[in-house]
Amino acid sequence: MSAQLRYFGIGAGLVLAQWLVLQHLSLWGATPDVVLLFLGWMALYMRRHTAAGAGFALGAALDIAYGTWGLHMIVKTITGFLLGSIPVTEERNAVLIQPQQAFLGGLVLTLMHNGLLVILLALQAQTTNTFLVNALWLGSSAYTAVLGTIASVLYTSNSTR
């Protein structure tokens, strides 16, 4: 199976999991974003234009699922482009993410992504409230970083066998 087809299948499955399951696992209004974690992982292996295209496709799928036409698409495209622009010193195929790196990287990634998302949501709704900052920006960022750390531990333990 080709890598693009495999990435497409994984991305589609994660969008469905995000939409059907993970949005219902909220803690004080904060929900994790596994699609963003997948985009961040893919951007480590891809160049900026390919990562931006992947962000566009994943964002479009989330916009269709949630009915937020264009919001996730623009934020995930920008995120994919910026992450794909980061040079990786090692061979891109040999990147192994440690749990500490996964937490810190996931936290920085989601703070940037969710901060941009909160700004666009506030501009769209022409409102400011503490829910956008506390739950959507900070809470979801921490929740997603913890989920990324758990995924990194599981991935690392499976790859060492």
Side-chain angles (χ1 to χ4, degrees), residues 56-124:
F56 179 84
L58 290 168
L62 285 174
D63 283 338
I64 290 169
Y66 290 119
T68 56
W69 300 102
L71 190 61
H72 289 285
M73 193 180 328
I74 188 71
V75 174
K76 292 220 183 326
T77 301
I78 292 170
T79 303
F81 183 81
L82 291 175
L83 286 175
S85 299
I86 297 172
V88 177
T89 56
E90 301 173 14
E91 178 66 31
R92 284 189 181 254
N93 294 333
V95 175
L96 184 63
I97 301 170
Q98 299 300 319
Q100 302 87 352
Q101 295 169 324
F103 179 77
L104 190 58
L107 187 62
V108 169
L109 169 66
T110 54
L111 282 172
M112 179 196 68
H113 174 272
N114 291 351
L116 185 58
L117 187 66
V118 163
I119 290 169
L120 291 176
L121 276 172
L123 289 173
Q124 179 189 22

Short mmCIF file of all heavy atoms in Angstrom, two decimals, residues 56-124:
data_model
loop_
_atom_site.label_atom_id
_atom_site.label_comp_id
_atom_site.label_asym_id
_atom_site.label_seq_id
_atom_site.Cartn_x
_atom_site.Cartn_y
_atom_site.Cartn_z
N PHE A 56 -4.68 21.27 4.92
CA PHE A 56 -5.87 21.72 4.20
C PHE A 56 -6.90 20.60 4.13
O PHE A 56 -8.09 20.81 4.41
CB PHE A 56 -5.47 22.19 2.80
CG PHE A 56 -6.63 22.65 1.97
CD1 PHE A 56 -7.10 23.94 2.09
CD2 PHE A 56 -7.24 21.79 1.08
CE1 PHE A 56 -8.17 24.38 1.33
CE2 PHE A 56 -8.31 22.21 0.31
CZ PHE A 56 -8.78 23.51 0.44
N ALA A 57 -6.46 19.40 3.75
CA ALA A 57 -7.39 18.27 3.61
C ALA A 57 -8.00 17.87 4.96
O ALA A 57 -9.21 17.64 5.06
CB ALA A 57 -6.67 17.08 2.98
N LEU A 58 -7.17 17.80 5.99
CA LEU A 58 -7.68 17.44 7.31
C LEU A 58 -8.62 18.51 7.85
O LEU A 58 -9.66 18.22 8.44
CB LEU A 58 -6.52 17.20 8.28
CG LEU A 58 -5.67 15.96 8.04
CD1 LEU A 58 -4.40 16.00 8.86
CD2 LEU A 58 -6.47 14.70 8.31
N GLY A 59 -8.26 19.78 7.64
CA GLY A 59 -9.11 20.89 8.08
C GLY A 59 -10.43 20.91 7.34
O GLY A 59 -11.48 21.18 7.93
N ALA A 60 -10.39 20.62 6.03
CA ALA A 60 -11.63 20.58 5.25
C ALA A 60 -12.55 19.47 5.75
O ALA A 60 -13.76 19.65 5.86
CB ALA A 60 -11.31 20.38 3.77
N ALA A 61 -11.97 18.32 6.08
CA ALA A 61 -12.77 17.22 6.61
C ALA A 61 -13.40 17.60 7.96
O ALA A 61 -14.57 17.29 8.21
CB ALA A 61 -11.92 15.97 6.76
N LEU A 62 -12.65 18.27 8.81
CA LEU A 62 -13.20 18.72 10.10
C LEU A 62 -14.27 19.79 9.89
O LEU A 62 -15.27 19.82 10.62
CB LEU A 62 -12.09 19.25 11.00
CG LEU A 62 -11.20 18.20 11.65
CD1 LEU A 62 -10.06 18.86 12.40
CD2 LEU A 62 -12.00 17.31 12.58
N ASP A 63 -14.06 20.68 8.93
CA ASP A 63 -15.07 21.70 8.65
C ASP A 63 -16.37 21.08 8.16
O ASP A 63 -17.46 21.52 8.53
CB ASP A 63 -14.55 22.70 7.61
CG ASP A 63 -13.58 23.70 8.21
OD1 ASP A 63 -13.62 23.90 9.43
OD2 ASP A 63 -12.79 24.28 7.45
N ILE A 64 -16.26 20.05 7.35
CA ILE A 64 -17.46 19.35 6.88
C ILE A 64 -18.16 18.67 8.06
O ILE A 64 -19.38 18.73 8.19
CB ILE A 64 -17.10 18.33 5.79
CG1 ILE A 64 -16.68 19.07 4.52
CG2 ILE A 64 -18.25 17.37 5.51
CD1 ILE A 64 -16.06 18.19 3.45
N ALA A 65 -17.37 18.03 8.93
CA ALA A 65 -17.96 17.33 10.07
C ALA A 65 -18.62 18.28 11.06
O ALA A 65 -19.70 18.00 11.58
CB ALA A 65 -16.89 16.50 10.78
N TYR A 66 -17.98 19.41 11.35
CA TYR A 66 -18.47 20.33 12.37
C TYR A 66 -19.30 21.48 11.83
O TYR A 66 -19.92 22.21 12.59
CB TYR A 66 -17.31 20.90 13.19
CG TYR A 66 -16.65 19.89 14.10
CD1 TYR A 66 -15.32 19.56 13.94
CD2 TYR A 66 -17.36 19.26 15.12
CE1 TYR A 66 -14.71 18.64 14.77
CE2 TYR A 66 -16.76 18.35 15.94
CZ TYR A 66 -15.43 18.04 15.77
OH TYR A 66 -14.84 17.13 16.59
N GLY A 67 -19.28 21.69 10.52
CA GLY A 67 -20.04 22.79 9.94
C GLY A 67 -19.42 24.16 10.18
O GLY A 67 -20.12 25.16 10.22
N THR A 68 -18.12 24.21 10.35
CA THR A 68 -17.41 25.47 10.59
C THR A 68 -16.65 25.87 9.34
O THR A 68 -15.45 26.02 9.35
CB THR A 68 -16.43 25.32 11.76
OG1 THR A 68 -15.54 24.23 11.46
CG2 THR A 68 -17.13 25.08 13.07
N TRP A 69 -17.31 26.04 8.27
CA TRP A 69 -16.73 26.19 6.94
C TRP A 69 -15.56 27.16 6.88
O TRP A 69 -15.72 28.35 7.05
CB TRP A 69 -17.82 26.60 5.95
CG TRP A 69 -18.87 25.56 5.92
CD1 TRP A 69 -20.08 25.60 6.53
CD2 TRP A 69 -18.76 24.29 5.32
NE1 TRP A 69 -20.75 24.43 6.33
CE2 TRP A 69 -19.96 23.60 5.58
CE3 TRP A 69 -17.79 23.64 4.58
CZ2 TRP A 69 -20.21 22.31 5.14
CZ3 TRP A 69 -18.04 22.35 4.14
CH2 TRP A 69 -19.24 21.72 4.42
N GLY A 70 -14.38 26.60 6.65
CA GLY A 70 -13.17 27.36 6.44
C GLY A 70 -12.32 27.60 7.66
O GLY A 70 -11.14 27.89 7.54
N LEU A 71 -12.88 27.47 8.84
CA LEU A 71 -12.14 27.81 10.06
C LEU A 71 -11.01 26.81 10.33
O LEU A 71 -9.84 27.20 10.46
CB LEU A 71 -13.11 27.87 11.25
CG LEU A 71 -12.56 28.43 12.54
CD1 LEU A 71 -12.12 29.86 12.34
CD2 LEU A 71 -13.61 28.37 13.62
N HIS A 72 -11.34 25.53 10.42
CA HIS A 72 -10.30 24.52 10.65
C HIS A 72 -9.37 24.42 9.45
O HIS A 72 -8.17 24.17 9.61
CB HIS A 72 -10.92 23.15 10.92
CG HIS A 72 -11.60 23.05 12.24
ND1 HIS A 72 -10.90 22.93 13.41
CD2 HIS A 72 -12.91 23.04 12.58
CE1 HIS A 72 -11.75 22.86 14.42
NE2 HIS A 72 -12.98 22.93 13.94
N MET A 73 -9.91 24.64 8.27
CA MET A 73 -9.12 24.53 7.06
C MET A 73 -7.97 25.53 7.04
O MET A 73 -6.83 25.17 6.79
CB MET A 73 -10.03 24.75 5.85
CG MET A 73 -9.42 24.35 4.54
SD MET A 73 -10.50 24.63 3.12
CE MET A 73 -12.13 24.38 3.71
N ILE A 74 -8.26 26.79 7.33
CA ILE A 74 -7.21 27.81 7.30
C ILE A 74 -6.21 27.62 8.43
O ILE A 74 -5.00 27.75 8.23
CB ILE A 74 -7.81 29.24 7.29
CG1 ILE A 74 -6.71 30.29 7.05
CG2 ILE A 74 -8.52 29.56 8.58
CD1 ILE A 74 -6.18 30.30 5.68
N VAL A 75 -6.70 27.27 9.61
CA VAL A 75 -5.78 27.13 10.76
C VAL A 75 -4.88 25.91 10.58
O VAL A 75 -3.67 25.97 10.82
CB VAL A 75 -6.59 27.04 12.08
CG1 VAL A 75 -5.69 26.74 13.25
CG2 VAL A 75 -7.33 28.33 12.32
N LYS A 76 -5.42 24.80 10.11
CA LYS A 76 -4.61 23.59 9.93
C LYS A 76 -3.66 23.74 8.74
O LYS A 76 -2.56 23.20 8.75
CB LYS A 76 -5.50 22.37 9.78
CG LYS A 76 -6.22 22.05 11.10
CD LYS A 76 -6.29 20.61 11.36
CE LYS A 76 -7.03 20.22 12.61
NZ LYS A 76 -6.98 21.07 13.75
N THR A 77 -4.06 24.49 7.70
CA THR A 77 -3.16 24.74 6.57
C THR A 77 -1.97 25.56 7.02
O THR A 77 -0.81 25.24 6.69
CB THR A 77 -3.91 25.47 5.44
OG1 THR A 77 -5.01 24.67 5.02
CG2 THR A 77 -2.99 25.71 4.25
N ILE A 78 -2.21 26.61 7.78
CA ILE A 78 -1.11 27.45 8.30
C ILE A 78 -0.22 26.63 9.22
O ILE A 78 1.01 26.70 9.15
CB ILE A 78 -1.68 28.69 9.02
CG1 ILE A 78 -2.34 29.63 8.01
CG2 ILE A 78 -0.59 29.41 9.80
CD1 ILE A 78 -3.14 30.75 8.64
N THR A 79 -0.83 25.83 10.08
CA THR A 79 -0.07 25.00 11.00
C THR A 79 0.80 24.00 10.25
O THR A 79 1.97 23.81 10.57
CB THR A 79 -1.01 24.27 11.98
OG1 THR A 79 -1.80 25.24 12.66
CG2 THR A 79 -0.23 23.46 12.99
N GLY A 80 0.23 23.31 9.26
CA GLY A 80 1.00 22.36 8.47
C GLY A 80 2.15 23.02 7.74
O GLY A 80 3.26 22.49 7.68
N PHE A 81 1.91 24.20 7.19
CA PHE A 81 2.96 24.92 6.48
C PHE A 81 4.09 25.31 7.43
O PHE A 81 5.27 25.12 7.11
CB PHE A 81 2.38 26.17 5.81
CG PHE A 81 3.39 26.94 5.01
CD1 PHE A 81 3.71 26.54 3.72
CD2 PHE A 81 4.01 28.06 5.53
CE1 PHE A 81 4.64 27.23 2.98
CE2 PHE A 81 4.94 28.76 4.80
CZ PHE A 81 5.26 28.35 3.51
N LEU A 82 3.74 25.85 8.59
CA LEU A 82 4.77 26.27 9.55
C LEU A 82 5.55 25.08 10.09
O LEU A 82 6.78 25.14 10.23
CB LEU A 82 4.14 27.07 10.69
CG LEU A 82 3.59 28.44 10.32
CD1 LEU A 82 2.89 29.07 11.51
CD2 LEU A 82 4.69 29.34 9.79
N LEU A 83 4.86 23.98 10.39
CA LEU A 83 5.56 22.80 10.90
C LEU A 83 6.43 22.16 9.84
O LEU A 83 7.51 21.65 10.14
CB LEU A 83 4.56 21.78 11.43
CG LEU A 83 3.90 22.11 12.75
CD1 LEU A 83 2.85 21.07 13.09
CD2 LEU A 83 4.92 22.20 13.85
N GLY A 84 5.96 22.16 8.61
CA GLY A 84 6.77 21.60 7.53
C GLY A 84 7.99 22.43 7.22
O GLY A 84 8.93 21.95 6.58
N SER A 85 8.00 23.68 7.64
CA SER A 85 9.14 24.58 7.41
C SER A 85 10.27 24.36 8.40
O SER A 85 11.38 24.85 8.18
CB SER A 85 8.68 26.03 7.50
OG SER A 85 7.72 26.31 6.52
N ILE A 86 10.00 23.66 9.49
CA ILE A 86 11.03 23.44 10.51
C ILE A 86 12.02 22.39 10.00
O ILE A 86 11.63 21.28 9.65
CB ILE A 86 10.40 22.95 11.83
CG1 ILE A 86 9.48 24.03 12.40
CG2 ILE A 86 11.48 22.57 12.84
CD1 ILE A 86 8.68 23.59 13.59
N PRO A 87 13.29 22.75 9.93
CA PRO A 87 14.26 21.76 9.45
C PRO A 87 14.51 20.68 10.50
O PRO A 87 14.60 20.97 11.70
CB PRO A 87 15.53 22.59 9.21
CG PRO A 87 15.38 23.77 10.10
CD PRO A 87 13.90 24.03 10.23
N VAL A 88 14.58 19.46 10.05
CA VAL A 88 14.88 18.34 10.93
C VAL A 88 16.32 17.95 10.68
O VAL A 88 16.72 17.70 9.53
CB VAL A 88 13.92 17.15 10.64
CG1 VAL A 88 14.27 15.96 11.50
CG2 VAL A 88 12.49 17.58 10.88
N THR A 89 17.14 17.91 11.73
CA THR A 89 18.56 17.65 11.56
C THR A 89 18.84 16.20 11.21
O THR A 89 19.78 15.90 10.51
CB THR A 89 19.33 18.03 12.83
OG1 THR A 89 18.79 17.31 13.94
CG2 THR A 89 19.24 19.52 13.10
N GLU A 90 18.04 15.29 11.73
CA GLU A 90 18.24 13.87 11.44
C GLU A 90 17.53 13.53 10.12
O GLU A 90 16.82 14.34 9.55
CB GLU A 90 17.63 13.01 12.55
CG GLU A 90 18.21 13.29 13.91
CD GLU A 90 17.46 12.53 14.99
OE1 GLU A 90 16.70 11.62 14.66
OE2 GLU A 90 17.65 12.87 16.15
N GLU A 91 17.73 12.32 9.68
CA GLU A 91 16.98 11.84 8.52
C GLU A 91 15.51 11.82 8.89
O GLU A 91 15.13 11.32 9.94
CB GLU A 91 17.45 10.42 8.16
CG GLU A 91 16.73 9.80 7.01
CD GLU A 91 16.98 10.51 5.68
OE1 GLU A 91 18.07 11.07 5.51
OE2 GLU A 91 16.07 10.49 4.85
N ARG A 92 14.66 12.38 8.04
CA ARG A 92 13.24 12.52 8.36
C ARG A 92 12.56 11.17 8.59
O ARG A 92 11.58 11.08 9.30
CB ARG A 92 12.51 13.29 7.27
CG ARG A 92 12.79 14.76 7.34
CD ARG A 92 11.88 15.50 6.40
NE ARG A 92 12.17 16.92 6.45
CZ ARG A 92 11.39 17.80 7.05
NH1 ARG A 92 10.28 17.44 7.60
NH2 ARG A 92 11.71 19.07 7.08
N ASN A 93 13.06 10.11 8.00
CA ASN A 93 12.43 8.80 8.18
C ASN A 93 12.82 8.14 9.50
O ASN A 93 12.21 7.18 9.92
CB ASN A 93 12.79 7.88 7.03
CG ASN A 93 12.21 8.36 5.72
OD1 ASN A 93 11.18 9.03 5.72
ND2 ASN A 93 12.85 8.02 4.63
N ALA A 94 13.85 8.66 10.16
CA ALA A 94 14.34 8.03 11.38
C ALA A 94 13.97 8.81 12.64
O ALA A 94 14.55 8.59 13.68
CB ALA A 94 15.85 7.87 11.30
N VAL A 95 13.00 9.70 12.56
CA VAL A 95 12.65 10.52 13.72
C VAL A 95 11.87 9.67 14.72
O VAL A 95 10.86 9.06 14.38
CB VAL A 95 11.80 11.74 13.29
CG1 VAL A 95 11.32 12.51 14.49
CG2 VAL A 95 12.61 12.63 12.38
N LEU A 96 12.35 9.59 15.95
CA LEU A 96 11.66 8.90 17.03
C LEU A 96 11.43 9.92 18.15
O LEU A 96 12.38 10.49 18.67
CB LEU A 96 12.48 7.72 17.55
CG LEU A 96 11.80 6.87 18.61
CD1 LEU A 96 10.54 6.22 18.06
CD2 LEU A 96 12.75 5.82 19.12
N ILE A 97 10.19 10.14 18.47
CA ILE A 97 9.83 11.18 19.42
C ILE A 97 9.76 10.59 20.82
O ILE A 97 9.03 9.62 21.06
CB ILE A 97 8.49 11.82 19.03
CG1 ILE A 97 8.59 12.42 17.63
CG2 ILE A 97 8.08 12.88 20.03
CD1 ILE A 97 7.28 12.84 17.06
N GLN A 98 10.50 11.16 21.74
CA GLN A 98 10.48 10.74 23.13
C GLN A 98 9.26 11.36 23.83
O GLN A 98 8.76 12.39 23.40
CB GLN A 98 11.76 11.18 23.83
CG GLN A 98 13.01 10.58 23.23
CD GLN A 98 13.02 9.07 23.29
OE1 GLN A 98 12.64 8.48 24.28
NE2 GLN A 98 13.44 8.44 22.21
N PRO A 99 8.77 10.76 24.94
CA PRO A 99 7.59 11.29 25.62
C PRO A 99 7.73 12.74 26.09
O PRO A 99 6.78 13.51 26.01
CB PRO A 99 7.41 10.34 26.80
CG PRO A 99 8.02 9.06 26.35
CD PRO A 99 9.17 9.45 25.48
N GLN A 100 8.92 13.13 26.58
CA GLN A 100 9.11 14.51 27.02
C GLN A 100 9.01 15.47 25.83
O GLN A 100 8.41 16.55 25.93
CB GLN A 100 10.49 14.70 27.69
CG GLN A 100 10.74 13.83 28.87
CD GLN A 100 11.33 12.47 28.48
OE1 GLN A 100 11.42 12.11 27.32
NE2 GLN A 100 11.70 11.70 29.49
N GLN A 101 9.59 15.08 24.70
CA GLN A 101 9.50 15.88 23.50
C GLN A 101 8.07 15.95 22.99
O GLN A 101 7.62 16.98 22.49
CB GLN A 101 10.40 15.31 22.40
CG GLN A 101 11.86 15.35 22.70
CD GLN A 101 12.66 14.54 21.70
OE1 GLN A 101 12.21 13.50 21.24
NE2 GLN A 101 13.84 15.03 21.37
N ALA A 102 7.34 14.84 23.13
CA ALA A 102 5.95 14.81 22.67
C ALA A 102 5.10 15.76 23.48
O ALA A 102 4.26 16.48 22.93
CB ALA A 102 5.40 13.39 22.76
N PHE A 103 5.31 15.79 24.79
CA PHE A 103 4.50 16.70 25.62
C PHE A 103 4.82 18.15 25.31
O PHE A 103 3.92 18.95 25.06
CB PHE A 103 4.72 16.42 27.11
CG PHE A 103 3.92 17.36 27.98
CD1 PHE A 103 2.56 17.16 28.14
CD2 PHE A 103 4.52 18.44 28.59
CE1 PHE A 103 1.80 18.03 28.91
CE2 PHE A 103 3.78 19.32 29.37
CZ PHE A 103 2.42 19.11 29.53
N LEU A 104 6.10 18.50 25.32
CA LEU A 104 6.48 19.88 25.07
C LEU A 104 6.14 20.32 23.65
O LEU A 104 5.60 21.39 23.43
CB LEU A 104 7.98 20.08 25.34
CG LEU A 104 8.48 21.51 25.36
CD1 LEU A 104 7.73 22.33 26.41
CD2 LEU A 104 9.97 21.54 25.63
N GLY A 105 6.44 19.46 22.68
CA GLY A 105 6.10 19.78 21.30
C GLY A 105 4.60 19.87 21.08
O GLY A 105 4.11 20.77 20.39
N GLY A 106 3.87 18.94 21.68
CA GLY A 106 2.41 18.98 21.57
C GLY A 106 1.81 20.21 22.23
O GLY A 106 0.87 20.81 21.71
N LEU A 107 2.38 20.61 23.36
CA LEU A 107 1.89 21.80 24.04
C LEU A 107 2.15 23.06 23.22
O LEU A 107 1.26 23.90 23.03
CB LEU A 107 2.52 21.92 25.43
CG LEU A 107 1.96 23.02 26.33
CD1 LEU A 107 0.49 22.78 26.61
CD2 LEU A 107 2.75 23.09 27.63
N VAL A 108 3.35 23.20 22.70
CA VAL A 108 3.67 24.37 21.88
C VAL A 108 2.83 24.38 20.61
O VAL A 108 2.29 25.42 20.21
CB VAL A 108 5.18 24.40 21.56
CG1 VAL A 108 5.50 25.45 20.50
CG2 VAL A 108 5.99 24.65 22.82
N LEU A 109 2.71 23.22 19.98
CA LEU A 109 1.91 23.10 18.76
C LEU A 109 0.46 23.48 19.00
O LEU A 109 -0.11 24.28 18.25
CB LEU A 109 2.00 21.67 18.23
CG LEU A 109 1.05 21.26 17.12
CD1 LEU A 109 1.36 22.03 15.84
CD2 LEU A 109 1.14 19.77 16.87
N THR A 110 -0.13 22.96 20.05
CA THR A 110 -1.54 23.23 20.29
C THR A 110 -1.77 24.64 20.82
O THR A 110 -2.82 25.23 20.55
CB THR A 110 -2.15 22.20 21.26
OG1 THR A 110 -1.36 22.16 22.45
CG2 THR A 110 -2.20 20.83 20.64
N LEU A 111 -0.82 25.19 21.56
CA LEU A 111 -0.97 26.59 21.99
C LEU A 111 -0.99 27.52 20.78
O LEU A 111 -1.79 28.45 20.72
CB LEU A 111 0.14 26.98 22.96
CG LEU A 111 0.00 26.50 24.39
CD1 LEU A 111 1.26 26.80 25.20
CD2 LEU A 111 -1.22 27.11 25.06
N MET A 112 -0.11 27.25 19.82
CA MET A 112 -0.09 28.06 18.60
C MET A 112 -1.37 27.86 17.79
O MET A 112 -2.04 28.81 17.40
CB MET A 112 1.12 27.69 17.75
CG MET A 112 1.21 28.48 16.46
SD MET A 112 2.33 27.76 15.26
CE MET A 112 1.50 26.27 14.80
N HIS A 113 -1.72 26.61 17.55
CA HIS A 113 -2.91 26.29 16.74
C HIS A 113 -4.19 26.79 17.40
O HIS A 113 -4.99 27.47 16.78
CB HIS A 113 -2.96 24.77 16.55
CG HIS A 113 -4.20 24.29 15.86
ND1 HIS A 113 -5.34 23.99 16.56
CD2 HIS A 113 -4.48 24.08 14.56
CE1 HIS A 113 -6.27 23.59 15.71
NE2 HIS A 113 -5.78 23.64 14.49
N ASN A 114 -4.37 26.47 18.67
CA ASN A 114 -5.60 26.86 19.36
C ASN A 114 -5.67 28.37 19.60
O ASN A 114 -6.75 28.94 19.64
CB ASN A 114 -5.74 26.11 20.67
CG ASN A 114 -6.02 24.64 20.47
OD1 ASN A 114 -6.28 24.20 19.36
ND2 ASN A 114 -5.94 23.87 21.52
N GLY A 115 -4.51 29.01 19.76
CA GLY A 115 -4.50 30.47 19.88
C GLY A 115 -5.02 31.13 18.62
O GLY A 115 -5.84 32.05 18.68
N LEU A 116 -4.56 30.65 17.47
CA LEU A 116 -5.05 31.18 16.20
C LEU A 116 -6.53 30.86 16.01
O LEU A 116 -7.31 31.70 15.55
CB LEU A 116 -4.21 30.61 15.05
CG LEU A 116 -4.50 31.13 13.66
CD1 LEU A 116 -4.33 32.64 13.59
CD2 LEU A 116 -3.57 30.45 12.66
N LEU A 117 -6.93 29.66 16.41
CA LEU A 117 -8.33 29.27 16.31
C LEU A 117 -9.22 30.15 17.19
O LEU A 117 -10.29 30.60 16.77
CB LEU A 117 -8.49 27.80 16.70
CG LEU A 117 -9.84 27.15 16.50
CD1 LEU A 117 -10.19 27.08 15.02
CD2 LEU A 117 -9.86 25.76 17.10
N VAL A 118 -8.77 30.44 18.41
CA VAL A 118 -9.53 31.29 19.32
C VAL A 118 -9.65 32.71 18.77
O VAL A 118 -10.72 33.33 18.84
CB VAL A 118 -8.89 31.28 20.73
CG1 VAL A 118 -9.38 32.44 21.58
CG2 VAL A 118 -9.18 29.97 21.43
N ILE A 119 -8.57 33.22 18.21
CA ILE A 119 -8.62 34.56 17.63
C ILE A 119 -9.64 34.62 16.49
O ILE A 119 -10.46 35.54 16.42
CB ILE A 119 -7.22 35.00 17.16
CG1 ILE A 119 -6.31 35.25 18.35
CG2 ILE A 119 -7.30 36.24 16.26
CD1 ILE A 119 -4.86 35.43 18.00
N LEU A 120 -9.60 33.63 15.61
CA LEU A 120 -10.55 33.62 14.49
C LEU A 120 -11.99 33.41 14.95
O LEU A 120 -12.92 34.02 14.41
CB LEU A 120 -10.15 32.55 13.48
CG LEU A 120 -8.86 32.83 12.71
CD1 LEU A 120 -8.51 31.67 11.80
CD2 LEU A 120 -8.96 34.12 11.93
N LEU A 121 -12.18 32.57 15.97
CA LEU A 121 -13.53 32.38 16.52
C LEU A 121 -14.06 33.65 17.16
O LEU A 121 -15.22 34.01 17.00
CB LEU A 121 -13.54 31.25 17.54
CG LEU A 121 -13.67 29.83 17.02
CD1 LEU A 121 -13.47 28.83 18.16
CD2 LEU A 121 -14.99 29.61 16.34
N ALA A 122 -13.20 34.34 17.89
CA ALA A 122 -13.62 35.59 18.54
C ALA A 122 -13.95 36.65 17.51
O ALA A 122 -14.91 37.41 17.68
CB ALA A 122 -12.53 36.08 19.49
N LEU A 123 -13.17 36.72 16.44
CA LEU A 123 -13.46 37.68 15.38
C LEU A 123 -14.74 37.33 14.63
O LEU A 123 -15.52 38.21 14.28
CB LEU A 123 -12.29 37.76 14.40
CG LEU A 123 -11.02 38.43 14.93
CD1 LEU A 123 -9.89 38.29 13.92
CD2 LEU A 123 -11.29 39.89 15.24
N GLN A 124 -14.95 36.04 14.40
CA GLN A 124 -16.15 35.60 13.69
C GLN A 124 -17.41 35.88 14.51
O GLN A 124 -18.39 36.38 13.99
CB GLN A 124 -16.06 34.11 13.36
CG GLN A 124 -17.28 33.58 12.65
CD GLN A 124 -17.25 32.06 12.53
OE1 GLN A 124 -16.57 31.39 13.29
NE2 GLN A 124 -18.00 31.55 11.58
#
